[in-house]
Amino acid sequence: MNSATGTEQEQRSFAEEALRLGGKTEEEARRMGAVDKADEQVESLFAARYQTANSPVHKAVWEGKVPLDLFAAPPLAESAPCDAAMERSIEVMRRRRNNKTIFDENKKVSAETIAELGQAGYWGMLIDPHYGGQGAPFARFARFLTRMGLIDATTAALASVHGCIGAVDPLRTFGTAEQKNRLLPVLASGKKVSGFALTEPAAGSDLTALKTVAVPAGDDYEITGEKLFITNAIPNRAIGLVVMLEGKPAVFIAELPERENEQFQIFRYGLWALKHTYNNGLRFNRFRIPKANLLKPPTGDGLTIAYHGLNLGRLSLCASAAANMRVFLANMLPWAEFRKTYGQPISSRELVKRRIARLAGLIAGADALVAWGGWLIDQGYRGELECIVAKIFGSEAQKEAAIELFMKTHGGRSFLHGHLFGDNVHEYLAPCIYEGEGEMLGMAFFKSLVKEHGRQFFEPIGKRLQEVGIKHFNPINPLHLWKLRHELTAYSKWSIGKKFAWADTQTVPGMDRRLADHVAFALHIFPEHAKELSGALRKHQLRLADRQCRMAELSLRVQDTVVMLVTAMWAHTQKKEIAIASADILCQDLHRKLTGQRPSDAYFRDVNRLADLILGGGFEELAQVPREEILMKY
Ligand SMILES: Cc1cc2nc3c(=O)[nH]c(=O)nc-3n(C[C@H](O)[C@H](O)[C@H](O)COP(=O)(O)OP(=O)(O)OC[C@H]3O[C@@H](n4cnc5c(N)ncnc54)[C@H](O)[C@@H]3O)c2cc1C
């Protein structure tokens, strides 16, 4: 490896090189390099101005001036052609919920529910009207998912599985005209609802370990291998299936047969999460798929396709979390007012009020990220960094809300059969794992964020070190400094420029004082993040890949600042006290997390005030959220 030629050296990615010098095996370096390459290929599908290096988060960190206009989504259009199908779908689900007919005898979303939603236009939301769909802009679809999620979380999740990570997005984005004409109408009508089969027993976080293979056989390919944890994987579904073809990942649209047979088998296991839909393993043994169902991206391979849909799925996941957290809040309030201890309802206690206020803050954050991310996707941005922030925030907020806020407030009743928490706790936790476990994604966020900076300043230093044969750079050795003078000068200029840069003092006209303070703080801290990130690259150099805890920590700091800015900017556009006060609480929490300060009495007063507003009916939207019966009334 050390004897690599110049060309080979240039072809090696930053991560690959980092792993190599970090003492990793050649095999590990090669596999990480493959993941990096897939990521770069997704990038090249987007026009330069929409790529990660030009994304709002990247610019905010590295460019010295935060592009505030890219952090505030304009309000959605008053109406759109897809609205009628959305209203029909909501009506179907409301009726079915009231009649208790969403699920079948196995407690899974029933075939009748799926068919009726098909007639309403639900499964075609993201599909162009030309193919029988509704052509919903993504931002509108995401907001609609939150509404659907209030009625039934599983049905909302299925729309995301089908439309984002399932067969719809791969076909819309990468299908040929023939494939779209043949397959999209079936998917739009709901005759076939789809899923996505990527994970295998040995390949979850590590996608380079995929083993399922496709081998040409006449007009078909024969697929052999095993998939695990696949949502919506039952006979007669259409599945975006990731396999290895000629040593590279590829995606087929697999139309699963109506019955299991020798070539195609489902293996079932008990799974607590997503209990109202099917999640199964798939076994293929020379299972035939027509060659016509192979998707061919213009650049890259099957992982390019997978990564594209995952971005949309991650935003949808945050939209679902926004729904679940509304359900928590709507069900916490009547309970907290009903439950009296020591002669007073617990809703009058500060500890409980803090939970109510924190929950409202988390809802504001999730709503803000969904509106922002959806808008960016509709603008044409790749949105990788932004969707990761939404996924991690949404899933972690939902987990915290479920356990720290909802469960604790409901006390022992949380664990009764029939209680929302006890019955659904796994539903609330699983999003932290699927579509990328949070900390793994956090590291991916870090890597994407520092890639360009590393390329610009650290790669030239690395190459030069190799050219002049310095194995261990010593910053006080004059000979080393001389040999690297050009490369080090370029980096020093950047570093000094950052040190003496003018403060970013932009303001948003007419913004509430509370929000303006948070925006000012975010503008102040983004350049600090650039210095922290660059400092980590400088300190750990190519061994940074082993400093996972540092990467995760730095990643989360940037993510927290992004959430803060997006939430404050969103609340400003809402022009409602409830949105502003909720956003303010979340932003104050994030501010303390970023600075390590203790909460002040003023903060506790703000918390009380917001909780009182909510208890007084100030969160008007909650009126539409279905409420569960209070259990064990006395
Ligand atoms: C309810 C549910 C629904 C799902 N639906 C689908 C679906 O529809 N389609 C599909 O393809 N998949 C699906 N999945 C699979 C899901 O995407 C994977 O579970 C997830 O990607 C993690 O993979 P894994 O479970 O194999 O974890 P593993 O790869 O076994 O990893 C376990 C943990 O180890 C840690 N870890 C792993 N590698 C590293 C590393 N290099 N450095 C540091 N830490 C590491 C991480 O914390 C990780 O979470 C679903 C899963 C669940 C639970």
Side-chain angles (χ1 to χ4, degrees):
M1 198 84 172
N2 280 337
S3 61
T5 65
T7 328
E8 278 170 65
Q9 194 65 49
E10 273 155 30
Q11 282 169 348
R12 230 182 244 135
S13 73
F14 190 61
E16 200 177 350
E17 191 67 359
L19 281 166
R20 186 179 72 82
L21 294 177
K24 297 287 185 281
T25 64
E26 190 135 341
E27 171 62 8
E28 192 173 352
R30 187 188 62 72
R31 286 161 64 166
M32 277 301 289
V35 173
D36 274 7
K37 204 163 145 219
D39 180 71
E40 274 166 27
Q41 279 157 345
V42 184
E43 199 74 50
S44 66
L45 295 170
F46 293 82
R49 62 183 289 231
Y50 296 126
Q51 291 178 359
T52 301
N54 284 317
S55 69
V57 172
H58 201 282
K59 279 172 178 270
V61 171
W62 296 111
E63 290 194 356
K65 187 170 181 214
V66 175
L68 274 186
D69 53 329
L70 292 182
F71 278 87
L76 291 182
E78 291 247 316
S79 65
C82 57
D83 289 359
M86 290 180 175
E87 293 312 317
R88 284 196 299 272
S89 305
I90 296 272
E91 206 186 299
V92 167
M93 288 307 290
R94 277 215 187 103
R95 175 168 36 77
R96 285 189 166 266
R97 188 185 153 107
N98 291 341
N99 300 342
K100 299 194 183 343
T101 54
I102 296 178
F103 308 123
D104 61 17
E105 62 285 0
N106 299 320
K107 301 206 165 100
K108 307 287 183 192
V109 176
S110 72
E112 291 75 26
T113 303
I114 289 175
E116 198 180 354
L117 282 171
Q119 283 158 15
Y122 185 65
W123 304 110
M125 284 301 168
L126 292 173
I127 298 176
D128 196 279
H130 177 70
Y131 305 107
Q134 317 304 329
F138 195 77
R140 213 168 187 87
F141 173 74
R143 192 182 64 175
F144 164 68
L145 280 191
T146 301
R147 283 181 70 203
M148 273 305 263
L150 298 178
I151 308 172
D152 179 56
T154 311
T155 317
L158 278 178
S160 166
V161 169
H162 174 70
C164 302
I165 63 166
V168 171
D169 184 70
L171 270 167
R172 275 174 63 205
T173 316
F174 302 100
T176 61
E178 185 281 322
Q179 287 170 330
K180 289 182 189 174
N181 279 325
R182 180 162 52 88
L183 295 166
L184 282 177
V186 191
L187 295 169
S189 68
K191 284 199 186 105
K192 279 196 196 289
V193 181
S194 69
F196 197 65
L198 177 59
T199 307
E200 297 181 3
S205 306
D206 174 7
L207 292 178
T208 63
L210 291 171
K211 287 204 181 84
T212 301
V213 287
V215 179
D219 288 340
D220 298 334
Y221 282 100
E222 280 182 353
I223 313 289
T224 300
E226 194 168 306
K227 293 286 170 183
L228 180 69
F229 288 137
I230 310 307
T231 305
N232 208 15
I234 52 171
N236 209 20
R237 296 287 200 251
I239 298 288
L241 179 65
V242 185
V243 301
M244 295 303 285
L245 172 63
E246 292 164 5
K248 285 191 200 146
V251 175
F252 286 91
I253 303 299
E255 295 174 86
L256 299 181
E258 286 180 17
R259 270 180 210 85
E260 290 172 66
N261 53 39
E262 281 208 351
Q263 287 74 44
F264 154 71
Q265 275 170 5
I266 297 225
F267 69 97
R268 297 166 179 84
Y269 37 75
L271 189 75
W272 295 110
L274 289 181
K275 63 181 177 175
H276 291 306
T277 188
Y278 294 94
N279 182 293
N280 288 316
L282 296 169
R283 279 198 190 109
F284 300 108
N285 179 15
R286 304 182 65 183
F287 173 71
R288 289 179 93 97
I289 301 183
K291 282 187 172 164
N293 282 23
L294 173 65
L295 295 177
K296 292 185 184 155
T299 167
D301 54 36
L303 290 187
T304 314
I305 298 175
Y307 285 3
H308 191 274
L310 276 171
N311 263 355
L312 307 186
R314 287 171 182 156
L315 272 184
S316 302
L317 187 150
C318 191
S320 294
N324 281 332
M325 291 192 291
R326 279 177 166 80
V327 173
F328 298 160
L329 187 54
N331 283 284
M332 244 160 92
L333 299 180
W335 160 252
E337 282 173 331
F338 167 79
R339 181 57 167 164
K340 287 202 175 83
T341 64
Y342 305 99
Q344 293 293 326
I346 58 171
S347 60
S348 66
R349 309 290 184 186
E350 224 186 23
L351 281 176
V352 173
K353 286 188 183 183
R354 181 179 51 76
R355 293 187 195 135
I356 291 171
R358 170 77 181 161
L359 187 43
L362 294 175
I363 294 170
D367 281 355
L369 290 168
V370 170
W372 175 61
W375 170 65
L376 292 172
I377 294 286
D378 288 334
Q379 294 292 296
Y381 281 94
R382 178 182 177 197
E384 188 212 9
L385 298 173
E386 294 74 14
C387 294
I388 290 181
V389 175
K391 149 63 170 96
I392 298 177
F393 179 84
S395 57
E396 293 295 323
Q398 176 169 295
K399 179 182 75 178
E400 180 195 329
I403 293 172
E404 300 298 329
L405 312 175
F406 191 59
M407 177 195 86
K408 286 190 177 168
T409 304
H410 282 263
R413 284 168 175 79
S414 300
F415 301 93
L416 286 170
H417 287 193
H419 192 277
L420 264 180
F421 178 83
D423 285 358
N424 297 294
V425 55
H426 302 96
E427 310 288 325
Y428 303 143
L429 306 187
C432 294
I433 301 297
Y434 55 68
E435 301 192 25
E437 185 268 325
E439 285 197 306
M440 294 290 285
L441 269 185
M443 288 197 296
F445 176 90
F446 177 94
K447 232 163 82 179
S448 293
L449 192 55
V450 301
K451 195 185 255 176
E452 196 50 43
H453 185 72
R455 234 181 230 155
Q456 204 179 343
F457 297 108
F458 292 90
E459 269 187 17
I461 294 174
K463 276 188 192 150
R464 183 74 183 142
L465 284 172
Q466 210 149 42
E467 272 167 30
V468 295
I470 300 175
K471 280 203 172 142
H472 302 288
F473 175 68
N474 179 357
I476 52 168
N477 180 334
L479 187 66
H480 286 188
L481 290 174
W482 177 251
K483 286 192 169 169
L484 268 86
R485 62 192 180 284
H486 296 302
E487 293 75 15
L488 291 177
T489 306
Y491 182 65
S492 303
K493 269 191 194 158
W494 178 85
S495 200
I496 292 167
K498 277 277 158 219
K499 205 165 183 175
F500 296 105
W502 296 106
D504 186 347
T505 54
Q506 297 174 81
T507 52
V508 180
M511 184 174 251
D512 183 277
R513 182 78 246 142
R514 290 164 288 178
L515 301 177
D517 284 350
H518 299 308
V519 170
F521 177 75
L523 298 187
H524 155 76
I525 203 167
F526 269 125
E528 298 301 314
H529 290 327
K531 288 186 243 170
E532 290 166 3
L533 292 167
S534 188
L537 287 175
R538 199 173 57 233
K539 178 166 182 193
H540 301 294
Q541 299 177 20
L542 294 169
R543 286 180 177 79
L544 183 60
D546 279 336
R547 301 281 75 80
Q548 292 190 329
C549 296
R550 179 58 68 213
M551 285 197 281
E553 189 260 349
L554 286 171
S555 171
L556 201 53
R557 283 176 65 74
V558 180
Q559 292 174 49
D560 285 342
T561 307
V562 171
V563 174
M564 192 177 196
L565 181 58
V566 171
T567 308
M569 296 296 279
W570 168 86
H572 174 61
T573 62
Q574 301 300 298
K575 313 257 180 250
K576 278 189 200 155
E577 176 56 21
I578 185 76
I580 295 171
S582 303
D584 176 46
I585 291 301
L586 177 67
C587 292
Q588 288 199 49
D589 292 344
L590 290 167
H591 185 126
R592 287 199 317 278
K593 195 173 159 203
L594 284 158
T595 56
Q597 285 167 352
R598 290 174 57 200
S600 63
D601 285 335
Y603 167 75
F604 292 135
R605 276 197 298 278
D606 290 344
V607 158
N608 270 291
R609 212 176 299 125
L610 173 57
D612 286 339
L613 180 63
I614 296 169
L615 285 160
F619 201 141
E620 288 161 12
E621 250 186 86
L622 290 184
Q624 300 158 21
V625 182
R627 297 189 185 200
E628 304 293 320
E629 212 181 303
I630 293 177
L631 300 178
M632 303 286 176
K633 270 192 166 175
Y634 51 89

